Amino acid sequence: MQTFKLLLIEDDRAVAESLLDGLQRDGYQVEWQMTGGGGIDYIESHAAHLVILDVRLPDGNGFDWCRKMRQLGIHQPIIMLTVRSDEVDKI
């Protein structure tokens, strides 16, 4: 059975630890980075099947980091994670 490797890019320790606990319990191998730059550094040198990317990071906007990954040729699926609640943020 193949282990799926995920990269979690999230700066909030409580949110990250909660996600790590749940994902690891379900059998995923998860690497956690706290910044977009750290996430890019990691994924350029390690394999990951999926990226979970926070929208608000201390070193920039998650959408900008997503664009940067695509520009670098990183094509893994990306799930954007946000706690924003305004209607415009959900569209």
Side-chain angles (χ1 to χ4, degrees):
M1 185 170 139
Q2 180 180 2
T3 300
F4 286 94
K5 299 175 185 176
L6 310 180
L7 171 59
L8 172 62
I9 305 172
E10 168 61 61
D11 63 314
D12 185 306
R13 181 172 299 278
V15 171
E17 288 176 353
S18 177
L19 287 169
L20 286 168
D21 287 345
L23 291 166
Q24 290 170 341
R25 184 178 33 237
D26 287 342
Y28 296 100
Q29 180 180 334
V30 186
E31 175 65 30
W32 173 32
Q33 295 291 321
M34 295 184 77
T35 65
I40 285 180
D41 290 345
Y42 179 84
I43 202 163
E44 284 185 311
S45 59
H46 297 83
H49 294 100
L50 174 75
V51 177
I52 302 172
L53 176 60
D54 187 13
V55 171
R56 290 185 176 178
L57 293 166
D59 63 341
N61 181 304
F63 295 106
D64 293 336
W65 287 115
C66 180
R67 276 190 282 283
K68 178 73 172 174
M69 285 184 209
R70 296 304 188 232
Q71 290 169 354
L72 292 170
I74 298 167
H75 296 293
Q76 285 86 345
I78 298 173
I79 295 175
M80 302 298 287
L81 180 66
T82 182
V83 295
R84 293 180 176 181
S85 60
D86 294 338
E87 184 175 340
V88 70
D89 294 322
K90 294 180 182 180
I91 297 174

